[in-house]
Amino acid sequence: MINVTQTFLPPQQEYQAILKKVWDTAWLTNRGQLVIELEEKLQNYLGSNRLLATTNGTLPLQIALKILAKEGEVITTPFSYVATTSSIVWENCTPVFVDIDPGHLTIDENKIEAAITPDTTAILATHIFGNPCAVEEIQRIAQKHQLAVIYDAAHGFGVKYKNKSLFNYGDVSTCSFHATKLFHTGEGGALFCKDKELMHQLYYHHNFGHNGPESFYGLGINAKMSELQAAMGLAVLPYMEEILVKRKSIVKGYDNSLDFNYIKKIKIRKGTEWNYSYYPVIFEKEEQLLKVQTALNSKEIYPRRYFYPSLNHLPYVKDIEMPVSENISKNILCLPLSSSIENSTIELIVQTINQSLSC
Ligand SMILES: *Cc1c(COP(=O)(O)O)cnc(C)c1O
């Protein structure tokens, strides 16, 4: 069975050697040596702002919204994973959808200003499939209207935009280290922030609000990464370069052999060093997508409809029309992409798709 993603597992002995430190110290969480080590190594590897490791990629979104969006209106994209919208609603904020740019599939920066009201407090946009949003224009708009900018960079691991880590854009940027993501700790995530005062707030919010064992700065929640999660990250990180080389060659394989008469690819923003995190293809019609999906499934190959449905149709948001996002959501399919997939499997996938489209 071939799935859309396949989790990379490091050699078990290497993971166990790192875990031994947990047994030696009997220290399992509350920022032990492994979490600190992982944060340092990640910051180094990514060339990023300071980061805080978290237990998943959703809580950092919620914490950033809690601090910066303050139950106001949050301008956001309808084309993302559900966590982007659900975090907004969970924090008692109101999602205000702005349609996406049909080429890059990121929030359409030219439509943001029309959606701003006196109640708008923040913009939460997703660097979908690791493709950067129009970060400069969004920054300009945010500055003009005094809005906070939060990026859901769950797919952004290792991406550079204009020679800078993608995580360095926005007031706060978040990432997911879920097992299905490019770099993972099983469950896990991180937030990135340059501003010291804001990082201090984010930090205490992620640890119950503690200021020492018996006093509190304010309200908080538990979003701490455990040592067991960090151990997986430390075991995976040394393999990232190898993983990227493999993924790049698979992407080249698809690029060179898929029949692009009937499908198109997303446009990666100029100035991006991309991370080969997903291989989305866009069909002309949903019928074609369903036909291809059925043909692949019959060979036990399972692409995924990332992301479907368009988030403006969620049952707990005000349903308004988002024509571009709805159209893309219906017609986009992510093909299997992982560092362990065989060339022969890629050939089978390509053959199945090309055949299914041409008849
Ligand atoms: C995976 C993902 C998340 C959530 O991350 P978790 O680590 O699973 O909590 C948020 N946003 C996007 C766009 C994602 O793909």
Side-chain angles (χ1 to χ4, degrees), residues 56-58 80-81 83-84 126 152 154-155 176 178 181 188:
N56 59 44
T58 303
S80 183
Y81 181 58
T84 315
T126 302
D152 181 342
H155 311 158
S176 166
H178 185 262
K181 303 298 203 288

Side-chain angles (χ1 to χ4, degrees), residues 73-253:
E73 291 181 3
V74 178
I75 289 179
T76 192
T77 174
F79 188 68
S80 183
Y81 181 58
V82 66
T84 315
T85 303
S86 62
S87 303
I88 295 172
V89 177
W90 197 267
E91 291 304 327
N92 292 320
C93 300
T94 307
V96 174
F97 293 107
V98 165
D99 213 346
I100 55 171
D101 156 355
H104 299 103
L105 311 189
T106 49
I107 195 167
D108 189 338
E109 64 278 11
N110 299 313
K111 294 182 178 157
I112 291 178
E113 277 195 290
I116 295 173
T117 77
D119 294 330
T120 309
T121 49
I123 299 169
L124 170 54
T126 302
H127 300 304
I128 197 80
F129 306 129
N131 195 22
C133 296
V135 289
E136 288 107 340
E137 178 60 10
I138 290 173
Q139 183 55 33
R140 190 193 67 76
I141 295 166
Q143 232 152 19
K144 181 171 156 199
H145 298 273
Q146 303 207 313
L147 305 176
V149 179
I150 303 164
Y151 284 117
D152 181 342
H155 311 158
F157 193 89
V159 174
K160 294 241 158 95
Y161 179 65
K162 302 210 166 152
N163 295 318
K164 225 165 82 169
S165 167
L166 187 56
F167 295 136
N168 287 10
Y169 294 90
D171 295 303
V172 179
S173 175
T174 68
C175 192
S176 166
F177 303 157
H178 185 262
T180 55
K181 303 298 203 288
L182 187 55
F183 167 79
H184 79 95
T185 57
E187 291 271 4
L191 58 81
F192 298 77
C193 174
K194 189 163 76 187
D195 184 85
K196 275 211 174 101
E197 172 51 33
L198 180 54
M199 189 51 137
H200 167 67
Q201 286 187 54
L202 292 159
Y203 180 89
Y204 78 71
H205 274 77
H206 110 295
N207 184 29
F208 300 105
H210 271 294
N211 172 23
E214 293 171 3
S215 68
F216 297 89
Y217 289 111
L219 182 66
I221 188 98
N222 180 5
K224 287 176 276 112
M225 178 181 274
S226 81
E227 292 291 278
L228 303 173
Q229 292 171 287
M232 178 59 85
L234 287 166
V236 172
L237 190 57
Y239 291 92
M240 281 316 295
E241 282 309 307
E242 220 174 284
I243 290 170
L244 284 171
V245 167
K246 280 210 181 134
R247 296 177 78 103
K248 186 174 176 175
S249 89
I250 291 158
V251 165
K252 285 254 155 72

Side-chain angles (χ1 to χ4, degrees), residues 38-56:
L38 180 63
E39 285 178 356
E40 283 170 4
K41 288 195 166 154
L42 284 175
Q43 189 176 347
N44 235 332
Y45 176 83
L46 298 163
S48 69
N49 288 338
R50 216 196 123 194
L51 72 129
L52 181 63
T54 55
T55 194
N56 59 44

Side-chain angles (χ1 to χ4, degrees), residues 319-336:
D319 198 343
I320 52 161
E321 275 178 42
M322 290 280 126
V324 181
S325 176
E326 287 166 37
N327 182 52
I328 294 289
S329 287
K330 277 194 194 112
N331 295 322
I332 196 164
L333 191 67
C334 278
L335 304 184

